[in-house]
Amino acid sequence: MKRILVTGAGGQIGTELTARLLDRYGPAVTLATDVREPATWARSGLAEQLDCLDLGALRTVVTRFGATDIFHLAAILSAAAEADPLRAYRINMNGLVNVLQVAADTGCRVFTPSSIAAFGPETPRDPAPQSTLQRPTTMYGVTKVAGELLCDYYHTRFGVDARGLRFPGLVSYTAPPGGGTTDYAVEIFHAALDRSRYTCPLKPDTRMDMMYMADAIRAIIELMEAPSASLVHRNAFNVTALQFTPAELADAIRVHVPAFAIDYEPDPVRQAIADSWPERLDDSEAREQWGWRHEYELPDMVADMFRGLRTNLARHAAGAAGR
Ligand code: AKB
C-alpha cells in the first residue's frame, strides 16, 4: 500500500499538494513534514518537523512511517538563492541527495520539482525544447540542473523511480511563495484586493512562463501515477500553461478590480533572472508520454484567484469576529 512522505509541506506547492494527497490517498497514509514546527503550517492530517539535511533523521522517519513515496519539495527559490547562494546550494543539493540516498536504501519512489530556471540565456527562448543547452546563470538554476542529473544517476545506478517536472512560475492563493522571481504574479492579486495598486519588481513587458497551481498539482499526481514504461524523460519534463507580462496580467486583473493601478520599479536581481529564462517551455514530450494537458487559461486563473482570495478573506473576517 502507498505511504507518502512530503518534505517542505508548509511551502507554496507543499500546502496544496498535501491537501490533494490527503483527499486522494487518505489521511492515514500521508505524512507532511517541514523544517518548521507543524503548529506554524500544518492544517490537517499527520504532520511533523523534519530537516531533510539531517540524513539520520530523514532515514528514521522514512523507515518508521514505512514510506513508499517521497514528494521532496523543500528548496530555496531563485531570488532568495541569489541573496545567499551557499545556503541555497546546501539546502537544494544536500536535501535532494539525502532523499535519493534514503530512497535507494529503502525502495521509495521520489518526486521532486525542477524548474524553468534549469535553463539559461543561451537556451532557445521560445520555446525551450525538452532536451537542449542548459547553462543557467543563477545558483537556483545550477542546483536544479544538478538535481535533474542526480535523479537520473540514482535511477540508472540504483533503480530509484525518481520523477520530476520543470515548472514555470506557479500562481496560487493558499500559501505564499517565498523568494521566487515569479512571486510578483501572486503578490499582485493580494495588492489588488488590499489597496488596488501594485509596484512591480519587473519591467511591464517581461514575458514569463506561468501555470496555475491547480494544474501543477494535477501534473504531479498524473506524472507519479503514469506507468513507468511510458516515460522516456522520467525526470525534468517540461510543462507549461500560460505566458504573460506584468502589463497583461494587470489588464486581466482590471476585469475584476477596475480601479487597479500598477507601476514598475524593476529590481535588478529579479529582472536579470527573469531575462535569463526562456519565455515558454516546449512540453510536447509530457503531452505525448503521459497525456499532460493544462486546463487554466489566463482569465480562468485570474477569476479563480479572486474567488479563492475573497473566500480566504471572508473566512479570516468571520474568524476574527468570532474571537
Ligand atoms: C522562482 O521564481 O524561483 C520559481 C521558479 C520558476 O522555479 N517560481
Side-chain angles (χ1 to χ4, degrees):
M1 190 174 65
K2 205 180 262 305
R3 292 183 69 82
I4 301 165
L5 182 117
V6 183
T7 73
Q12 188 196 15
I13 301 180
T15 303
E16 298 203 27
L17 180 64
T18 302
R20 186 79 188 90
L21 293 170
L22 289 171
D23 276 358
R24 191 164 179 84
Y25 303 111
V29 299
T30 304
L31 174 60
T33 73
D34 197 283
V35 70
R36 294 167 295 152
E37 285 188 17
T40 62
W41 54 269
R43 288 161 196 240
S44 59
L46 305 173
E48 71 180 69
Q49 188 170 18
L50 174 65
D51 181 356
C52 53
L53 297 184
D54 182 341
L55 180 61
L58 178 66
R59 195 186 298 282
T60 301
V61 174
V62 166
T63 310
R64 191 194 65 219
F65 186 62
T68 58
D69 293 58
I70 305 175
F71 289 74
H72 175 55
L73 307 173
I76 303 294
L77 297 184
S78 56
E82 289 315 298
D84 192 344
L86 264 184
R87 174 171 174 262
Y89 184 88
R90 204 166 45 81
I91 292 176
N92 293 5
M93 296 312 312
N94 294 351
L96 178 59
V97 82
N98 284 352
V99 165
L100 289 168
Q101 188 55 50
V102 170
D105 296 342
T106 59
C108 282
R109 303 164 77 232
V110 174
F111 171 84
T112 195
S114 185
S115 164
I116 194 167
F119 297 118
E122 293 152 86
T123 301
R125 276 183 75 74
D126 188 13
Q130 174 67 43
S131 301
T132 184
L133 191 62
Q134 289 182 262
R135 305 286 295 174
T137 49
T138 62
M139 178 54 93
Y140 178 62
V142 167
T143 65
K144 287 298 169 185
V145 179
E148 292 178 2
L149 295 172
L150 263 182
C151 288
D152 282 344
Y153 176 78
Y154 270 82
H155 175 60
T156 49
R157 176 83 166 77
F158 299 112
V160 176
D161 186 355
R163 305 184 183 190
L165 299 166
R166 287 186 189 130
F167 277 129
L170 298 179
V171 179
S172 65
Y173 59 82
T174 307
T181 305
T182 57
D183 291 7
Y184 93 86
V186 176
E187 292 161 2
I188 194 170
F189 286 93
H190 291 268
L193 286 179
D194 278 357
R195 50 191 181 280
S196 298
R197 68 173 310 115
Y198 180 62
T199 300
C200 182
L202 298 176
K203 292 183 198 158
D205 58 351
T206 309
R207 186 169 300 284
M208 299 189 80
D209 206 359
M210 300 279 184
M211 182 181 291
Y212 195 42
M213 187 61 86
D215 276 337
I217 298 300
R218 193 170 44 75
I220 296 173
I221 305 276
E222 286 177 7
L223 174 64
M224 288 305 277
E225 290 185 353
S228 191
S230 69
L231 304 179
V232 180
H233 299 92
R234 175 172 300 270
N235 300 306
F237 276 100
N238 282 3
V239 283
T240 185
L242 314 164
Q243 298 75 41
F244 54 79
T245 66
E248 289 165 355
L249 181 56
D251 285 343
I253 285 175
R254 269 185 217 105
V255 172
H256 300 264
V257 182
F260 179 65
I262 185 164
D263 56 14
Y264 300 91
E265 280 177 18
D267 164 56
V269 173
R270 282 174 203 247
Q271 188 66 51
I273 296 174
D275 291 343
S276 77
W277 291 348
E279 280 183 20
R280 186 162 59 100
L281 299 177
D282 176 349
D283 62 2
S284 44
E285 292 291 345
R287 289 177 188 261
E288 274 160 34
Q289 290 178 40
W290 49 279
W292 158 246
R293 300 275 176 282
H294 75 277
E295 285 174 2
Y296 284 81
E297 299 296 346
L298 182 59
D300 314 316
M301 178 188 90
V302 171
D304 207 59
M305 280 295 287
F306 280 119
R307 185 201 53 74
L309 287 173
R310 286 187 169 122
T311 306
N312 287 351
L313 285 173
R315 204 173 287 140
H316 285 142
R323 280 197 286 272

